[in-house]
Amino acid sequence: MSTPTPSLEDFTREALDFVGAHQKRATHDASLEPTYSVLPEKPREVEERELAEALAWRKTTFDAGFGWVDGPGAHGGRDLPPAYADAYRGVERLFDVPDEAYTRFSVGILCPALLEHADPALAAEMLRPLRRTDLVACQLFSEPGAGSDMAAARTRARLDGQEWVVDGQKVWTSGAHYSEVGLLLARTEPGSRRNAGLTAFLIDMDQPGIEVRPIRQMTGGASFSEVFLDGARVPDHRRVGEVGQGWSVIMTTMRFERAVIGTDGGIDLVLLDQLARLARDEGLGEDSATLDALGDILVRGRSAAAMTQEFLARANGGPGPEMSMSKLLLTDNLGRVAQTAHDLLDERMTVRRDPEFAWHQLALSLEGLRIGGGTDEIMRTIVAERVLGLPRTPVPAAAPTKRSL
């Protein structure tokens, strides 16, 4: 007999009781060192502690029935409508829960993509441990010389019996150094071009033939890594989808990634509160130009949030290409936050002294968010072609070679 669906109000009360029994209410502590970076960049000892806390919290929520509110019961979910998942996320924002950035790809991006593309055996093997974070995953898409153009992937995988042997290099991978598995895009058909001949795999990261090297960024942190694959192996049963059909798997994954970024807890509006406090501290709390800038950020942030909620309410089959608009509007509004902070602080924004330097970290880390999940330029192309139905961008003709002259 199926369990009756609780009312949204009863579910929300249940969630409040559960989270409140484990976590403290969120408060603003002015004594803490501020950090406004939109990318996690923390000392290794802090990262290790926060990662352990995040994994423990995900396991607690999963075991209590809140780990996959709108997920299928066969894989540990509760089979509730998406509105219930939104309600639970709203409850968590009221409390100081562990940072979900460490598990965002595994939980919010990879799992729904596997639901669409993994065969039943692979789904049964991977979905529950990924959602409960018994396994943590990373994304192995981008490559040197290709960047956001994933169709230019040159990492190769060749079949050797029941295993694929992988050689190549990936770059800009978040969380590679603590992940157990990676969603890998590799070229499995020699001589294939662009998005043909690509296949997706779930490859074990802790094996001979895989080396992870941190990339030092201009912010001073190293939240991304480059990954070298030299004879690494992945069993054929860890293949996601059919051979040569990896492009559809990757596009689904990117669709969910853009949805996650576009609904990232209203980070622009959270930072707006800190920006308003900065304006008051600078004696510009009543300045008309400053108030105009703050009001513009507020209106844009709330409008984008309402638009995104409407997109999600209509997305019965999962988020569509219109979520690219949500990501664009978020990065644009965060850029306005950073610019307003610069207008208030001027050259003091680049002085290594808190709290001013925290705004400098926002400005620098924002460029990573503009790239992650697809660059702003790619997002605009998707909106133009797939949302507005405008003609596709012409592909430039290849330059003539010397032989053809």
Side-chain angles (χ1 to χ4, degrees):
M1 181 180 295
S2 61
T3 304
T5 300
S7 69
L8 189 58
E9 293 76 13
D10 287 344
F11 171 83
T12 303
R13 282 194 293 270
E14 178 191 355
L16 280 166
D17 290 342
F18 164 71
V19 181
H22 293 84
Q23 305 292 345
K24 296 179 180 179
R25 282 272 181 171
T27 58
H28 174 70
D29 188 346
S31 66
L32 296 178
E33 180 179 310
T35 175
Y36 303 143
S37 173
V38 293
L39 298 173
E41 297 178 356
K42 300 169 184 176
R44 183 55 59 91
E45 62 275 10
V46 173
E47 181 185 73
E48 290 176 351
R49 172 176 53 81
E50 291 187 349
L51 174 61
E53 292 172 351
L55 299 185
W57 177 238
R58 289 300 312 177
K59 291 176 174 63
T60 299
T61 59
F62 190 93
D63 294 344
F66 293 100
W68 202 354
V69 172
D70 55 347
H75 301 297
R78 288 182 65 171
D79 284 314
L80 293 174
Y84 287 68
D86 290 340
Y88 180 74
R89 285 191 289 269
V91 168
E92 279 206 339
R93 284 195 285 270
L94 301 175
F95 295 85
D96 281 326
V97 300
D99 191 349
E100 67 172 9
Y102 297 102
T103 60
R104 183 177 290 123
F105 176 72
S106 305
V107 171
I109 301 171
L110 179 55
C111 282
L114 291 180
L115 270 180
E116 289 195 23
H117 294 281
D119 63 39
L122 183 60
E125 176 189 356
M126 302 300 294
L127 281 174
R128 184 181 291 264
L130 282 168
R131 193 73 194 200
R132 192 176 182 267
T133 64
D134 297 311
L135 290 175
V136 178
C138 62
Q139 185 185 93
L140 300 171
F141 294 172
S142 297
E143 298 188 8
S148 295
D149 184 10
M150 290 175 293
R154 292 188 293 179
T155 293
R156 304 176 307 280
R158 59 178 177 83
L159 190 60
D160 180 21
Q162 294 300 309
E163 292 184 322
W164 294 83
V165 182
V166 185
D167 296 285
Q169 182 182 352
K170 299 294 180 176
V171 74
W172 306 122
T173 301
S174 302
H177 57 292
Y178 58 74
S179 294
E180 288 97 358
V181 297
L183 179 62
L184 169 74
L185 180 67
R187 193 164 295 281
T188 51
E189 297 179 14
S192 60
R193 292 176 54 81
R194 302 302 298 164
N195 58 356
L198 298 170
T199 305
F201 303 91
L202 285 175
I203 190 169
D204 289 331
M205 297 293 291
D206 185 15
Q207 65 166 294
I210 294 185
E211 180 185 0
V212 178
R213 299 179 190 171
I215 299 173
R216 187 64 59 183
Q217 298 146 214
M218 65 180 178
T219 55
S223 56
F224 301 108
S225 297
E226 52 185 343
V227 179
F228 297 85
L229 303 107
D230 183 10
R233 289 180 171 266
V234 55
D236 186 58
H237 74 264
R238 286 283 193 86
R239 173 171 39 82
V240 183
E242 299 298 325
V243 174
Q245 299 301 310
W247 186 252
S248 62
V249 177
I250 300 312
M251 289 299 98
T252 298
T253 306
M254 299 302 295
R255 181 160 46 88
F256 283 108
E257 181 177 8
R258 290 156 189 164
V260 166
I261 294 174
T263 57
D264 196 15
I267 186 173
D268 49 346
L269 297 181
V270 172
L271 289 174
L272 177 61
D273 290 339
Q274 308 305 319
L275 193 61
R277 183 177 291 109
L278 174 65
R280 291 192 294 270
D281 291 345
E282 293 294 314
L284 295 171
E286 302 298 326
D287 175 69
S288 59
T290 301
L291 290 175
D292 282 347
L294 297 176
D296 186 43
I297 294 168
L298 177 64
V299 170
R300 290 173 181 272
R302 288 188 174 175
S303 298
M307 180 194 70
T308 299
Q309 288 304 312
E310 180 65 18
F311 288 160
L312 293 175
R314 297 180 182 182
N316 294 326
E322 65 276 355
M323 290 304 299
S324 297
M325 297 170 63
S326 299
K327 179 181 184 293
L328 267 175
L329 291 174
L330 175 63
T331 55
D332 175 77
N333 215 28
L334 285 171
R336 294 172 189 274
V337 171
Q339 181 60 54
T340 303
H342 181 270
D343 293 341
L344 291 170
L345 293 169
D346 201 17
E347 71 274 2
R348 286 182 294 140
M349 187 168 167
T350 60
V351 176
R352 185 172 280 277
R353 181 185 63 193
D354 292 320
E356 292 89 345
F357 191 68
W359 293 108
H360 185 57
Q361 293 295 92
L362 168 64
L364 294 181
S365 64
L366 178 57
E367 297 310 308
L369 190 63
R370 292 187 189 278
I371 296 171
T375 65
D376 284 358
E377 292 77 11
I378 289 175
M379 295 299 98
R380 292 188 180 97
T381 299
I382 290 173
V383 171
E385 296 178 358
R386 300 180 59 190
V387 179
L388 300 178
L390 298 177
R392 292 181 61 85
T393 303
V395 178
T401 63
K402 291 183 177 180
R403 181 173 296 182
S404 64
L405 292 176

